[in-house]
Amino acid sequence: MKLTISGLTRSYKHKLAVDDVTAELTPGVYGLIGPNGAGKTTLMRMLADVLLPSKGQICMNGEDIRTLDDRYRDQIGYLPQDCGFYSHFTAERFLRYMASLKGIKKVEAEAQIGELLQLVNLSGERKQRIGRFSGGMKRRLGIAQALLGDPKLLILDEPTAGLDPKERVRFRNLLSDISGERIVILSTHIITDIEYIAKEVLVLRQGKLVKQAKPDLILKELEGKVWHVTVSSEKVDELERHYTVGNLLRRGTEIEARLISDQQPTADAALQSPRLEDIYLYYFGETGGDDR
Ligand SMILES: Nc1ncnc2c1ncn2[C@@H]1O[C@H](COP(=O)(O)OP(=O)(O)OP(=O)(O)O)[C@@H](O)[C@H]1O
Ligand SMILES: [Mg+2]
């Protein structure tokens, strides 16, 4: 299974949301990161074939998805960022409904629904109305829905938004279990979600794919650039003017900071081993940026 994205572009009126993205994806987990408005959802909607590109092409195993049509859609599972649920449906009924939309036979659907509810830890709530679900429960139901029909391409737009830390870990384990022969693309703002499971990280900034690399290569790139400094509180502004500064920690009259710099920023600055989280600082600056 191979997904080839070439020159994929999408604009909304005058806004270029996805700008000439080219990539090749093979089975494994891909972590899509980028600040708000970077184009993650727009890119994923095109991959899920719910939004037409303005330009460019997506091919699965060398065939254009426009030609494949249903043969493409039958192979994908998609969790939208904002998935409107049928709040009066029970979890179980919702999954039955989604299974029928995907053309899964009844007996097969029942078996899958039981398994999937267990997988996302919602077996006990299968007869509850979705309207009474918490945000995290809805997210988990959305993940189950995306997995119906055993899709070969799984597109998950912020699947862990609203999950508590325990569920987050569960989800990560679940993904590494199910990735196998599938291509999984997931967007997130939380780097730890993808740190251990992503085969590659895709970095999107202002609609452009600015980086596609294995996590350990990204870490290598940051080697020698991440510093820990301690400065007096009046020096902080100056530090922030010159460097990309991450979390500040106040200790009495002094401030400790983690920052990105090619050169040693202060005499007593200590070099740190990079963490994958630092790529946010590196690519998007202090606030993580906002591309809208
Ligand atoms: N339907 C739309 N009409 C007009 N502009 C849009 C529409 N959808 C998205 N945009 C714009 O396209 C850009 C990319 O948006 P997109 O939702 O793809 O970003 P994102 O990376 O998913 O952001 P977030 O992290 O907030 O989910 C933004 O500037 C956004 O305002
Ligand atoms: Mg989005």
Side-chain angles (χ1 to χ4, degrees), residues 123-152:
S123 298
E125 289 82 15
R126 63 187 296 159
K127 297 204 184 300
Q128 251 187 51
R129 281 176 198 271
I130 300 170
R132 291 173 47 197
F133 274 18
S134 71
M137 289 161 81
K138 285 184 189 158
R139 217 67 203 132
R140 283 185 272 146
L141 185 62
I143 293 165
Q145 161 280 129
L147 284 166
L148 278 168
D150 199 17
K152 294 285 167 289

Side-chain angles (χ1 to χ4, degrees), residues 91-131:
E92 184 179 71
R93 187 160 164 229
F94 170 70
L95 290 177
R96 274 191 200 125
Y97 174 67
M98 293 308 285
S100 74
L101 289 183
K102 288 189 178 186
I104 302 167
K105 296 214 170 64
K106 251 186 169 159
V107 181
E108 177 54 33
E110 284 312 306
Q112 281 190 28
I113 288 167
E115 268 174 42
L116 288 171
L117 283 168
Q118 207 155 10
L119 208 60
V120 298
N121 209 12
L122 283 175
S123 298
E125 289 82 15
R126 63 187 296 159
K127 297 204 184 300
Q128 251 187 51
R129 281 176 198 271
I130 300 170

Side-chain angles (χ1 to χ4, degrees), residues 10-13 15-18 32-45 51 81 157-158 187-189 204 207 280 290-292:
R10 168 75 202 201
S11 31
Y12 298 105
K13 292 199 178 116
K15 172 83 199 175
L16 200 51
V18 169
L32 180 61
I33 65 160
N36 290 135
K40 302 179 296 297
T41 296
T42 306
L43 176 61
M44 293 181 118
R45 291 184 69 210
L51 180 74
Q81 182 166 8
D157 200 350
E158 300 200 23
S187 67
T188 183
H189 290 280
L204 210 56
Y280 237 85
D290 193 324
D291 286 349
R292 280 174 297 187

